[in-house]
Amino acid sequence: MATNIDIEAQQIFNNPTNGQSVMGHSLHGATQTDAVTSGLKHDAYGALRRLGRIFDRKSKYSTEGRPAIIKRTLDDYRHGYPHLGAFLALDQNYLIFRRFGYLQARVLLNIQDQLREYEDKLVLLEKECEDYGVQSREADDQHSWKRIELLQKIENKLERYTTFMKNASWFSLREAPSETNFNIIDNYFGTYAPIVENEMYYLHKKDLVTVKPREDTPMDRLISKFLRDDPGPIRKRIFGNSEKARRYPGMVVISGWKSMVLRTVLLGLPLMILLVAPIIPLYSLSKGEITTVVLVGIMVIQLAFTCLFASCLKCLTRPKRHELFAGSVAYMGVLIVFMSQTIQGSH
């Protein structure tokens, strides 16, 4: 019956004359307008049903015959280094390791002194050789095998020295972990004790570096300290992740999206206040007579709010020096344009 209705509706929509004859037989005296309206309704219902069947087929196709997504928790790994590795992989901020600064320095010092010894030997050989030995490499290679072997040793040693120097340079660019992330690692070791005590590398606090470059700001560190350092039951209830807290007892688990909302609010409010707050005193000063005292007051207000804006930008973000300067100049420009427009309008 549904098929017949769809066919009749399609006929009416495409050919009103045929639709009138069809509906005349089926509806027994109904007007042409009523027939067309009824046909359009049936056509819409039929299109919705067909659309629903299409989406239903797609949803079935998307789930049937596909392998399930693999989800693993810390409980799926054995206690020990497997459990520790799984925990560190939960968050890139937990990838904290030792840089072995002492060992790097000792290795570089050792290779450096070996190169110094080779250098002294090379200088001595070049003083003892004939003139042709220092004026032609090809002629010297035919007569002095000692220098060839020495230069080969220097080449190999310099390659190692350069490699270790690059590694040391890379480690020097890594930052120390934040106090919050270090406390998280400390809390994990205190709760689970995955490895023996003499292998607890995190105890070398001054020698730790983070693999991920730190992007936290002073405000981020304050928020993390507020949320993670001995939070009370109210903070745990508001910002905690109850599901993961039950799964990992003894650890402070903060909801990611809740902390992100808190950071966004604390970042947006000061900037909005700094954009709106100077308007009131500046507008009040510009409405009266422009005297020297008024101009000095306007400049002081602009300078004070620009300094506050720069300080807020420095605490809430990680700007470079030129970015901080450009932002402060733009903020000052907005205040100056506002003042000029206000003064021209009132006078």
Side-chain angles (χ1 to χ4, degrees):
M1 182 64 182
T3 305
N4 295 333
I5 293 175
D6 292 340
I7 294 174
E8 291 177 4
Q10 185 68 22
Q11 290 175 345
I12 294 169
F13 185 79
N14 293 333
N15 193 344
T17 304
N18 294 340
Q20 182 180 3
S21 61
V22 172
M23 295 302 294
H25 293 292
S26 59
L27 298 177
H28 301 290
T31 62
Q32 180 178 356
T33 303
D34 295 337
V36 172
T37 303
S38 176
L40 289 175
K41 290 181 178 180
H42 289 307
D43 183 64
Y45 295 151
L48 290 175
R49 286 196 300 270
R50 288 192 294 271
L51 188 63
R53 288 194 293 269
I54 291 174
F55 281 106
D56 185 61
R57 284 197 297 268
K58 286 185 178 180
S59 63
K60 290 181 179 179
Y61 175 78
S62 62
T63 57
E64 293 179 356
R66 293 191 177 186
I69 301 298
I70 299 176
K71 296 181 180 180
R72 292 179 179 176
T73 63
L74 291 179
D75 298 333
D76 297 329
Y77 297 88
R78 292 190 60 183
H79 185 74
Y81 275 101
H83 196 274
L84 174 60
F87 171 75
L88 297 180
L90 290 177
D91 194 326
Q92 291 184 351
N93 294 315
Y94 301 164
L95 296 177
I96 300 172
F97 304 97
R98 291 188 61 184
R99 64 186 178 94
F100 292 101
Y102 170 74
L103 295 182
Q104 291 183 49
R106 285 292 290 114
V107 170
L108 286 172
L109 287 172
N110 182 52
I111 300 177
Q112 176 183 261
D113 193 67
Q114 291 178 10
L115 287 171
R116 190 269 315 161
E117 182 181 359
Y118 291 157
E119 183 183 25
D120 294 341
K121 290 181 179 180
L122 180 62
V123 171
L124 183 61
L125 285 176
E126 289 176 341
K127 287 182 178 180
E128 294 176 352
C129 69
E130 301 294 337
D131 292 340
Y132 64 82
V134 294
Q135 296 177 359
S136 172
R137 180 203 56 82
E138 185 177 359
D140 181 65
D141 289 347
Q142 296 176 359
H143 296 85
S144 178
W145 292 101
K146 290 183 178 181
R147 199 167 77 160
I148 296 177
E149 295 177 355
L150 181 59
L151 286 173
Q152 186 64 45
K153 291 180 180 180
I154 292 175
E155 180 182 348
N156 296 334
K157 195 65 65 176
L158 270 177
E159 184 177 359
R160 291 189 60 197
Y161 185 75
T162 304
T163 301
F164 280 103
M165 186 66 75
K166 289 180 179 179
N167 293 337
S169 176
W170 185 88
F171 277 107
S172 67
L173 298 177
R174 300 298 97 184
E175 297 184 79
S178 64
E179 194 68 24
T180 300
N181 291 331
F182 177 81
N183 291 336
I184 292 174
I185 300 295
D186 184 35
N187 187 24
Y188 167 79
F189 273 89
T191 303
Y192 291 95
I195 56 180
V196 296
E197 185 175 356
N198 64 329
E199 297 183 14
M200 291 184 178
Y201 65 93
Y202 81 100
L203 297 177
H204 299 268
K205 187 176 181 179
K206 298 297 183 180
D207 197 49
L208 297 178
V209 293
T210 58
V211 175
K212 179 184 177 182
R214 283 177 56 180
E215 299 177 354
D216 56 342
T217 63
M219 179 61 70
D220 291 331
R221 290 192 287 271
L222 288 176
I223 294 174
S224 298
K225 187 175 182 180
F226 169 76
L227 295 178
R228 298 181 183 275
D229 292 357
D230 195 19
I234 298 179
R235 277 182 284 177
K236 287 183 179 180
R237 184 176 182 85
I238 296 176
F239 299 102
N241 190 322
S242 57
E243 180 182 354
K244 289 187 177 180
R246 289 192 298 267
R247 190 182 304 170
Y248 310 126
M251 297 190 63
V252 179
V253 183
I254 302 299
S255 175
W257 72 269
K258 292 180 181 179
S259 61
M260 182 62 68
V261 169
L262 180 61
R263 286 182 171 87
T264 304
V265 171
L266 294 179
L267 176 64
L269 281 179
L271 296 179
M272 293 177 61
I273 293 173
L274 287 173
L275 288 175
V276 177
I279 294 178
I280 299 175
L282 291 176
Y283 182 78
S284 301
L285 291 175
S286 64
K287 297 301 290 184
E289 184 180 357
I290 304 301
T291 62
T292 304
V293 177
V294 172
L295 288 176
V296 171
I298 290 174
M299 288 187 292
V300 169
I301 292 174
Q302 290 178 341
L303 182 61
F305 275 98
T306 302
C307 292
L308 287 175
F309 177 82
S311 301
C312 183
L313 201 64
K314 182 66 175 178
C315 293
L316 298 179
T317 61
R318 290 175 61 92
K320 298 180 180 178
R321 292 181 179 178
H322 66 276
E323 295 173 343
L324 184 62
F325 178 78
S328 302
V329 171
Y331 180 79
M332 175 68 82
V334 171
L335 296 182
I336 293 175
V337 170
F338 170 77
M339 281 304 306
S340 62
Q341 295 294 329
T342 304
I343 293 175
Q344 289 179 3
S346 60
H347 297 83

